[in-house]
Amino acid sequence: MGNSRSQSGQKFCSQFLPEEQAEIDRLFDALSSETHSPRTSPRSFSLKALKSHVGEALPPEMVTRLYDGMRRVDLTGKASKPSDSVSQEQFTVSMYHLLKGNSEEKSLVILKMISATECPVKAREVQKFTEDLVGSVVHVLNYRQELRGWTQKRGPGPPSRVQVLAAQLFSEMDLRGGEKLPGPQQLDCECDRATIEDWVFRAPHVATFLSVVIHRGFLLLRSSLDLATLVPERHVDPERVFESILDVLSVIYVNSHLRREQQGRWRLLFSSELHGHSFSQLCGRITHQGPCVLLVEDRDGQVFGGFASCSWEVRPQFQGDDTCFLFSISPRMAVYASTGYNDHYMYLNHGQQTIPNGLGMGGQHNYFGLWIDVDFGKGHSKAKPKCTTYNSPQLSAQENFGFEKMEVWAVGDASGSQQAKSSKSILDVDPEAQALLEISGRSRLSEGLRDVPEDE
């Protein structure tokens, strides 16, 4: 039996680089060197040993799930029950499946982490697993101090952001061939291996989050995981105390829909909390700053926003392209991409008398998917039944909403934007002053006299 197990494990050993396999072997040796119980063989480890190694880095429930998933791996196909401990071959095979395997291989271990019974499992068991997984990601990033400036959680009361993101991931599962069922009936559905495999393929965050849990929870193959594209670095003026509307999970979710070069760094451009309730301030701080994410929390507590794929410019025409999108964070997480129906992606106007003044995304004049009025603190989200540009529903609790909190974040590298901003006059950053000057018939004497910024 020992030979057959060794041959089975050997196949998966060869999938790791030599230095990776050496690190996996060292961790197994450390785990198996713990005091053995009478039921634990010398070349295996117990749940107690794994919990001792992980400590407080992961919640106990997730450590138990991982341990059960590993000990339930049947290397011979003949086991009548799970083993009492985890062998070296089971450990290696499980690490390969979870870290390097395809959707089918990952689903094998995930199913064993969800339930001790054979397939199928209940959808409610998958839902609970998803909540445990999302919660473990926040837990381990916080424990390892790798939140990159973001907070672990924000705001009291249900549903928590863990539950909201878990619900979004769970919604990616195709139950009953796509048939929409009421909540209780949906949770009673049975999920076989093919359903879980399809879900892992549809929702790549599931595999990514498992990698985070193992790499950061076990402190195993840490260099294999680039957190920079998962959690962007948060840049805010260090002299200002600031609590964002966003928490780390909502940032991870929105960030995952950006291009890779935009994912590493978010820089605060505007916050109503820091810069005041002023549309002029908003315009002055967000124009000519490259792609950015804007979001609003309405007075009913719903959080939503949009991604602008290019620099905002004050002008009466629509701008942007089909990589713009709208999104919601609370009470549910969702992204609404371009439909191709029209090109009304972005709109920013100020100081006009005949057309709307404000910031909008999607829809049309006076009927935007997301609108921030020049009378700052007011907006609307109109969609009956959906926004034509983004196919988004009404994002706010009320069609015409009020808000106190708004933020805009530049995403990706600043490149030349900071230099360009520093070369602007007060008229550039105060559209109200510019508009008043133009209405009075006076020219901008400084126009044309400043140096043209060099292209980078």
Side-chain angles (χ1 to χ4, degrees), residues 12-13 40-41 45 51 53 80 115 126-127 133 143 176 194 201 234 250 268 284 327 337 341 346-347 410 432 435 437:
F12 297 98
C13 289
T40 305
S41 63
F45 63 84
K51 285 186 173 180
H53 171 76
S80 59
S115 174
V126 182
Q127 182 190 50
L133 178 61
Y143 184 82
R176 295 280 182 87
F201 180 78
R234 177 183 185 265
S250 51
L268 185 67
F327 61 85
Y341 181 81
M346 301 161 51
Y347 175 88
E432 247 175 358
L437 190 66

Side-chain angles (χ1 to χ4, degrees), residues 162-389:
V162 168
Q163 292 171 315
V164 172
L165 181 51
Q168 193 284 323
L169 294 180
F170 180 72
S171 72
E172 297 286 338
M173 185 173 293
D174 185 12
L175 296 170
R176 295 280 182 87
E179 180 184 357
K180 295 298 182 184
L181 299 173
Q185 291 184 35
Q186 185 185 57
L187 294 179
D188 286 333
C189 284
E190 292 185 336
C191 305
D192 59 15
R193 178 174 158 183
T195 302
I196 299 298
E197 179 184 339
D198 179 70
W199 177 55
V200 174
F201 180 78
R202 287 171 178 265
H205 271 124
V206 175
T208 301
F209 287 172
L210 280 167
S211 294
V212 172
V213 166
I214 292 170
H215 288 307
R216 292 307 191 259
F218 289 6
L219 294 179
L220 179 67
L221 305 179
R222 284 173 287 173
S223 62
S224 302
L225 177 68
D226 181 12
L227 272 183
T229 57
L230 181 70
V231 186
E233 190 175 4
R234 177 183 185 265
H235 284 257
V236 178
D237 184 348
E239 297 181 358
R240 308 292 295 270
V241 177
F242 171 67
E243 181 184 0
S244 175
I245 300 170
L246 294 163
D247 71 327
V248 68
L249 287 179
S250 51
V251 170
I252 286 173
Y253 179 68
V254 175
N255 200 54
S256 69
H257 292 84
L258 306 181
R259 293 196 300 269
R260 187 176 182 86
E261 64 269 20
Q262 298 166 341
Q263 292 178 331
R265 186 174 186 264
W266 284 29
R267 178 172 51 89
L268 185 67
L269 297 178
F270 173 83
S271 162
S272 55
E273 179 184 325
L274 296 181
H275 306 118
H277 288 231
S278 164
F279 193 80
S280 293
Q281 280 288 330
L282 172 67
C283 290
R285 290 182 174 275
I286 72 172
T287 52
H288 309 291
Q289 294 291 336
C292 59
V293 170
L294 66 90
L295 61 147
V296 173
E297 181 177 32
D298 70 18
R299 288 183 179 145
D300 292 288
Q302 298 200 179
V303 180
F304 48 90
F307 167 66
S309 61
C310 60
S311 289
W312 287 98
E313 295 182 26
V314 178
R315 64 182 188 183
Q317 295 85 25
F318 284 95
Q319 48 199 293
D321 60 34
D322 61 4
T323 60
C324 296
F325 58 81
L326 292 179
F327 61 85
S328 62
I329 293 297
S330 179
R332 64 186 296 263
M333 290 191 188
V335 162
Y336 306 100
S338 165
T339 63
Y341 181 81
N342 57 39
D343 61 357
H344 298 176
Y345 307 113
M346 301 161 51
Y347 175 88
L348 180 61
N349 203 20
H350 194 246
Q352 298 290 323
Q353 295 182 351
T354 58
I355 54 178
N357 293 308
L359 180 153
M361 294 189 72
Q364 59 191 32
H365 290 168
N366 303 314
Y367 205 90
F368 283 89
L370 172 57
W371 174 255
I372 304 300
D373 199 80
V374 69
D375 184 4
F376 197 84
K378 297 179 181 179
H380 73 240
S381 178
K382 297 184 179 181
K384 293 182 178 178
K386 296 290 181 68
C387 168
T388 54
T389 310

